Amino acid sequence: AFYAEYQRFLKEGVTADFAHREPLGRLLRFESSAVEKGRQTSLADYVKRMPADQKEIYYLLAPNREAAEGSPYFEVFKSRRLETLFLYDPWDEFVMEHLHSFDGKDLRSAEKAELSVEDTAAPEGALSAETADALGKWLKDKLGERVGQVRPSKRLVDSPAVVVESDKMLTSSMRRILKAMKREDDAAAAGTQDLEINPRHPIVIRLEAIRRSDDALAAKVAEQVLDNARMAAGLLEDPRAMLRRLNELLEQVLAAKQ
């Protein structure tokens, strides 16, 4: 009850009072993938639960727990059973950036964590590394300036694609805050995102096959995959073009079934 009432002041202290930053950080509370919904945990308790070889404290910004657990950025952590803090306040990212570390452990946004899913047997039909690279080059050619780099992803399990900020210091949540502050002209807010594709996902596998026989349809699917990934990151501001394209794709699917 105390934290619910005064958390904004504690967070402000973390960002403004350098001398007491870590003691104030000990008072912060967040939901976590390791505790049941509705309960909160501290950074100190997170550290106690960390495996001996884990060097960073991971966190993910999301509107709510359901969004966090369904986020493509969470997939690698779920697959590796790595605890992730769920942050729901849009300004929590500034708090984490100012706190920077806790008990000798760096605080790391899930979007910026350099982790890979554990090696498992690739499903039948999964794209080889060479084929995935070739598809990435084709996607970049079709999507043009809408994306930075296009590359195979090592973090995805269930999603076909995810967007990742090209700027190493920026996250999708930070980009949303910059836009909310009306800083559209800011260089960071105007930057592009890279696109990572999942070589194991059926959509990506089928896209590789269809681009060789129907380039126009494949290009339309590629644009939809990008917009879906941008929507998952909360970066799709105007969905009208995406919805129009989606209706066109549905028409083609239904026509093919007649």
Side-chain angles (χ1 to χ4, degrees):
F2 177 90
Y3 185 74
E5 184 71 22
Y6 295 104
Q7 60 176 304
R8 281 301 179 101
F9 300 101
L10 297 173
K11 293 175 182 179
E12 183 179 352
V14 171
T15 62
D17 188 347
F18 180 81
H20 300 96
R21 189 166 295 172
E22 181 145 335
L24 287 169
R26 290 186 175 276
L27 302 178
L28 298 177
R29 297 291 186 272
F30 304 103
E31 283 201 31
S32 163
S33 61
V35 299
E36 63 187 49
K37 181 179 180 179
R39 297 191 62 183
Q40 295 179 317
T41 190
S42 66
L43 292 171
D45 286 339
Y46 180 108
V47 171
K48 290 178 183 177
R49 292 190 291 265
M50 288 174 60
D53 59 346
Q54 184 177 332
K55 306 301 181 184
E56 299 175 319
I57 298 171
Y58 301 112
Y59 63 89
L60 174 63
L61 271 82
N64 50 56
R65 190 179 185 102
E66 289 73 19
E69 292 178 335
S71 170
Y73 303 110
F74 180 59
E75 292 179 5
V76 65
F77 298 93
K78 183 179 180 180
S79 71
R80 296 183 59 168
R81 296 180 175 83
L82 289 173
E83 182 176 358
T84 309
L85 298 174
F86 296 149
L87 283 53
Y88 306 139
D89 186 338
W91 299 101
D92 281 343
E93 186 162 23
F94 285 110
V95 177
M96 291 303 204
E97 289 290 336
H98 280 81
L99 188 58
H100 185 64
S101 64
F102 181 85
D103 199 17
K105 310 291 185 181
D106 287 342
L107 296 161
R108 182 73 62 194
S109 167
E111 293 185 40
K112 296 300 181 183
E114 297 181 357
L115 295 173
S116 303
V117 295
E118 294 178 339
D119 289 334
T120 57
E124 184 177 354
L127 304 184
S128 66
E130 183 180 0
T131 303
D133 286 338
L135 177 60
K137 293 178 181 178
W138 178 85
L139 283 166
K140 172 58 182 175
D141 180 63
K142 294 300 178 182
L143 297 173
E145 298 303 315
R146 295 185 64 192
V147 295
Q149 299 180 22
V150 182
R151 57 181 174 267
S153 179
K154 298 179 180 179
R155 74 177 78 206
L156 295 175
V157 179
D158 300 317
S159 298
V162 66
V163 290
V164 181
E165 293 292 340
S166 303
D167 186 335
K168 298 298 183 182
M169 302 302 293
L170 193 66
T171 62
S172 59
S173 55
M174 189 68 72
R175 181 182 292 274
R176 292 194 298 270
I177 291 173
L178 289 172
K179 288 184 177 294
M181 294 169 63
K182 307 300 182 184
R183 294 179 61 184
E184 289 89 347
D185 294 332
D186 188 288
T192 60
Q193 298 92 40
D194 295 337
L195 179 67
E196 294 186 357
I197 56 173
N198 183 357
R200 300 170 176 230
H201 197 279
I203 289 178
V204 175
I205 294 170
R206 289 293 300 150
L207 178 59
E208 165 59 23
I210 202 171
R211 76 178 179 92
R212 301 177 184 279
S213 59
D214 192 336
D215 187 79
L217 175 59
K220 192 178 295 185
V221 172
E223 290 181 347
Q224 190 66 38
V225 167
L226 173 61
D227 278 352
N228 288 351
R230 296 186 74 237
M231 179 175 287
L235 296 174
L236 188 66
E237 294 185 347
D238 186 351
R240 288 176 295 180
M242 184 270 287
L243 291 173
R244 184 166 54 252
R245 184 192 319 112
L246 181 57
N247 287 333
E248 292 172 358
L249 288 169
L250 289 173
E251 286 181 14
Q252 289 182 261
V253 169
L254 294 173
K257 292 295 183 180
Q258 290 181 347

